[in-house]
DNA sequence: TATGAATGAGGGTTCATTCAT
DNA sequence: TATGAATGAACCCTCATTCAT
């Protein structure tokens, strides 16, 4: 089950092209990335639907139409943002899952990795968290659903391994537990501010302490 | 601290209107409620912004313009949905908070009450969960921010009481804990389906078990 | 030219009907008149286009739809208001024109009669003044254009008679003079308030003094 | 008749906007002016309320939505039209009022100036004439009421100066006289056609002759 | 690369009007 | 006579997108 050896067909970065035919894909990737960053910020702040292309352009100091030199559409910006985030996320997850750790250590590593990703891609995570459901229904964003499936599989497997190894309690509904864990981790993106008091690792530690040992005092 | 004898600043009924017989305010509450239910469902499914008034009307078997006989605007529908939900939520919370329970029992009761509310008002909760942040900035929806403040106060007080009484662990960041607890409870609305396998009370029990005692096996 | 013994085809008041077929025309003329008065007031205040049927109904203490028991349409209310006003106006004018007065006396009588009409039908006059131009283009309101033609003919004739009789100055452009006189009289409706300091006759006197003798001191 | 390099408190150009390059404010004033001219024409012809944005766009050979690239709203077009007209009007009036003329010459100059303005801004004057009353009630168009107040003050002062100097008759109600003079001048906009038989100066002369000396033959 | 101007589809809303009760 | 509820057309406006320059 473990080896996730690829992010598969995700073609975010095209190889440098010789022909100048479609400049949008290759030209000045620096500016592209900058614009995507701005867009992600605004999407996260206002919501994808409520964000107008013009607002993004305002933040970038250009006119709305000018964005279309860099991107095909508003939706393609969104796609690129989410793909970039998921690519990185999975490269982290895959490393963890392939490391051959025990269930408890795997869980700890996955959670820590998640908080690190929130730290790095806060905006993207917030967008993902808010729009995931609606988007996943569209063919263009099928990769979101696919990612979620893989995500669920990895988590359930880890939890079940832990129950089998008597590291996790057996009396909990694994599916429910998965949902709780999953959600709590990601909603953090809605209030987390990078550069705040807590580092992602510290938040992960607190969170793990709570999830693993509970908040009640042991008798 | 205890006696919350009213919902105070969160008024359900709009202030009396100038014109004598504005039907929108009180008359035919049956149809109104029905339409609000439909609207809430669609808002929850598609997101508020992405929902067109026409779509709501379609679901109600009428034309878009006809909705305006019952409501002032799309936004006023949203407001009424959220107010209705929060009113009921707080009437439940207040009962709990006034009951004079110990911190652990209070926490259990609050969580159970929350899941019950998700069961009753799933759509409203999902909307709230998704739009809360953007809406709270608008003056019209200031009551959302106000509610959140009260909510936070109640939870923090309970947690702190528990720490003082040595019922809850002292080594956890109370604020962080609050956020985790709060979020996990409410995101449940995004996947919960009324009439499914788990009753709200059962979900609450599982959830509380996890939060209080952790998912790790005790050594 | 003189005998204007009728307003001809103007069928405002149908003869009492035996059949109950179309109640709108005959039933309860008192209520009709009352409603027309209200409508005229609102039309005058807000402008015909800007006035909603609902606003009229509000003022009448009923619902918008209920007006349609009494009238065919908003436009038919307007028509009836204007017809009623013009009918009365012409019955006054005709009396003057048939009286065989000299040109100066005719002019004085016409002006006085006009101010009296403003006093009685202020709202209708204001509506007429404001909407005349646009309405006259519609077939339904052709009677407005027709009335204006008769009006102009009567005035020009009077002015020319006066010039011929050396009662009015010959060095003025009769057509321009007509326009000035006509307009000044009717715009008074826009500021005239019945029951104010000046009676219509007093205003007429002042106005005539100005028009006939000028405002400059004679040397 | 000295040089007036400002219109004082009636600002033509909107205050500087927050965003850097809002095109609506200043850029491409040529097209803006053209569109405003078209809009004014249509407003004058059909009435502001009865004019649809689409009709304006039709006349301009574009789609309705395209107008919003240049203007914020239909209302803002109206405002700009009226402001432009009043600005120019007052620059003319101020020149007259500061010239230190006698009361009769002042009156003559004001009237002549008014007819010139009608010649230049016929559409705007017609709109002003028809919509002034309703608009002045709105805060956005408070400048209309303000202008009217200044207008009245200037005229009353001139008339009273004339009476004091025994140039104008003392037996006339000054307020009534003002109204008559004011209205007759401006209603001319409803029938005046630029390029017609009469130049504005000629119309002014005829009008002044009538107002000052009356239409009756002197005995 | 970016601008300025426009398109075209749709979205929320208004309003005169209808009609069963 | 009047109400309550709905219709349907039209309206103002927004916005992603296009394209010549």
């Amino acid at each position: 089950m473990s080896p996730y050896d690829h992010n598969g067909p995700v073609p975010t970065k095209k190889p440098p092209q010789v022909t100048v035919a479609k400049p949008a894909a290759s030209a000045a990737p620096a500016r592209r990335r900058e614009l995507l960053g701005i867009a992600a910020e605004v999407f996260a702040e206002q919501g994808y639907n409520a964000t107008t292309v013009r607002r993004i352009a305002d933040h970038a100091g250009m006119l709305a139409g000018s964005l279309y030199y860099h991107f095909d559409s508003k939706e393609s910006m969104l796609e690129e943002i989410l793909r970039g985030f998921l690519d990185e996320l999975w490269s982290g997850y895959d490393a963890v899952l392939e490391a051959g750790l025990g269930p408890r250590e795997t869980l700890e590593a996955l959670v820590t990795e998640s908080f690190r990703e929130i730290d790095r891609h806060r905006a993207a995570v917030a967008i993902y968290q808010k729009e995931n459901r609606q988007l996943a229904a569209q063919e263009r964003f099928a990769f979101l659903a696919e990612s979620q499936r893989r995500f669920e599989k990895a988590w359930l497997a880890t939890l079940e391994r832990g129950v089998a190894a008597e590291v996790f309690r057996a009396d909990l509904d694994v599916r429910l537990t998965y949902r709780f864990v999953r959600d709590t981790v990601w909603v953090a993106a809605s209030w987390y501010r990078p550069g705040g008091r807590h580092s992602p690792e510290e938040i992960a530690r607190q969170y793990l302490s709570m999830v693993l040992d509970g908040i009640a005092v042991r008798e």
Side-chain angles (χ1 to χ4, degrees), chain A:
Chain A
M1 160 155 316
S2 39
Y4 294 89
D5 44 357
H6 67 312
N7 295 343
V10 186
T12 310
K13 298 126 192 169
K14 289 187 181 174
Q17 306 213 254
V18 183
T19 54
V20 208
K22 277 200 172 163
S26 63
R31 187 82 173 115
R32 269 179 84 73
R33 214 155 323 197
E34 194 187 340
L35 292 174
L36 281 180
I38 292 171
E41 222 61 61
V42 186
F43 285 155
E45 182 107 7
Q46 327 240 326
Y48 173 71
N49 278 302
T51 298
T52 71
V53 162
R54 199 173 140 195
R55 196 163 198 83
I56 300 173
D58 278 356
H59 279 250
M62 65 200 320
L63 292 183
S66 309
L67 280 173
Y68 287 81
Y69 178 81
H70 301 278
F71 304 97
D72 284 344
S73 65
K74 183 185 168 189
E75 212 181 46
S76 81
M77 300 180 75
L78 177 60
E79 184 186 346
E80 205 161 327
I81 290 166
L82 292 176
R83 287 210 121 105
F85 152 61
L86 282 184
D87 280 359
E88 229 184 88
L89 177 68
W90 275 106
S91 102
Y93 278 180
D94 286 339
V96 168
L97 294 170
E98 291 168 9
L101 304 171
R104 179 172 173 137
E105 289 72 26
T106 300
L107 184 144
E108 289 175 349
L110 286 179
V111 165
T112 306
E113 190 58 35
S114 299
F115 280 109
R116 280 207 196 96
E117 208 58 34
I118 290 175
D119 187 50
R120 267 193 300 249
H121 283 335
R122 204 201 83 264
V125 175
I127 298 167
Y128 176 83
Q129 189 69 10
K130 203 185 170 195
E131 316 286 354
N132 179 32
R133 166 147 292 157
Q134 269 89 43
L135 291 176
Q138 300 177 45
E139 198 181 350
R140 173 171 209 166
F141 291 93
F143 68 94
L144 291 176
E146 164 62 13
S147 170
Q148 206 163 18
R149 263 190 301 278
R150 284 175 64 198
F151 195 79
E152 179 169 0
K153 212 154 59 174
W155 271 95
L156 286 183
T158 304
L159 288 175
E160 277 157 6
R161 265 207 301 149
V163 168
E166 296 187 345
V167 180
F168 299 146
R169 289 166 55 188
D171 61 331
L172 293 176
D173 181 316
V174 179
R175 207 158 213 98
L176 266 186
T177 307
Y178 155 64
R179 281 185 183 134
F180 285 131
V181 173
R182 173 197 65 184
D183 292 339
T184 345
V185 169
W186 294 116
V187 266
S190 70
W191 52 259
Y192 181 72
R193 287 290 162 268
R197 285 188 317 171
H198 303 284
S199 73
E201 286 80 8
E202 201 180 323
I203 294 188
R205 212 177 315 122
Q206 287 254 8
Y207 172 73
L208 284 167
S209 168
M210 188 188 93
V211 158
L212 289 168
D213 299 324
I215 68 172
V217 164
R218 312 235 163 171
E219 308 139 25

